[in-house]
Amino acid sequence: MPEHYDPLQPGDNEVIAPTGQGGAMDLALEEGESLERPPGDSGTGAGGAGSGPQEPARSLWSDAWHQLRRNPVFVVSALLILFLVLIAIWPQLIASGDPLHCELSKSQQGPAPGHPFGYDTQGCDVYTRTVYGARASITVGVCATLGAALLGSALGGLAGFFGGWGDALLSRTADIFFGIPVVLGGLVFLSVVTSTTVWPVVGFIVLLGWPQLARIARGSVITAKQNDYVQAARALGAGNTRMLLRHVAPNAVAPVIVVATIALGTYIALEATLSFLGVGLRPPTVSWGIDISNAASQIRNAPHMLLYPAGALSLTVLAFIMLGDAVRDALDPKLR
């Protein structure tokens, strides 16, 4: 043995074995092994099982899209809505007749060749009117949802971000609108309107629909503006406009999108209800609500007049509600 032998400094042919006690010697050995280990080798054994490429982190929207593509409810509802939108824009794709062409001699007759849904009281083709009725209903639903979402998001977002007397005024105004019964308000508001277009109905739905979305946007903005990145932007000198548009709004819009998607189906059902009561859309506009109203009194003699427009309405509302539920599940991590 050479002079001044140090057990911590082995010779050329000696190695230090781990002690298994977790002491300083074992820690030094682990550090040495980690330094000698080649990059990408996680030490999981031969073959480098843990050396695969790391998946990049996804944002909220990309992660939501990743979840939606694998959700059968979203796929089915999205395909159905796409089909409804296509026939609303181009009803001639599947219906070649005229929805206003009627023959009284065929009144209330059942299905016939070329007319699979039969005829209504006026002798109009139920199939053609059912296809063309999608245009008015979806137009009202989409336009009313966009109007209510834009107005509610703008007012609710500004009130939640700045607070103060504006926030209090918005909250009390929204409470007033929440106290108005929707159907009763429609009977009063639309009974004095003589227009046969969809815009009075759209305006009424926006008038009563924006408070709900404003309240959702206000709460979401209040939550988002308390996050650390917003406080950091404020400390760095960012103005209110930049913070609201760049930092708060993109992280507060998800709940508004979810509620608006579900509300779209509700607005379509509301339009049909008002049309059924005679204060919504009026002839010569073709609407599912109008056809259901005309068929209600003949449900025993000719049930086919009510079955098909009511079925189309129910299927459309269900598709939008299912889409909203799928979007909610994808945007809310707590529901996964």
Side-chain angles (χ1 to χ4, degrees), residues 136-164:
S137 297
I138 292 181
T139 299
V140 169
V142 172
C143 293
T145 301
L146 290 176
L150 292 176
L151 180 61
S153 299
L155 295 178
L158 292 175
F161 185 78
F162 292 104

Side-chain angles (χ1 to χ4, degrees), residues 185-201:
L187 290 173
V188 174
F189 179 82
L190 295 175
S191 61
V192 299
V193 178
T194 58
S195 175
T196 59
T197 63
V198 300
W199 302 116
V201 180

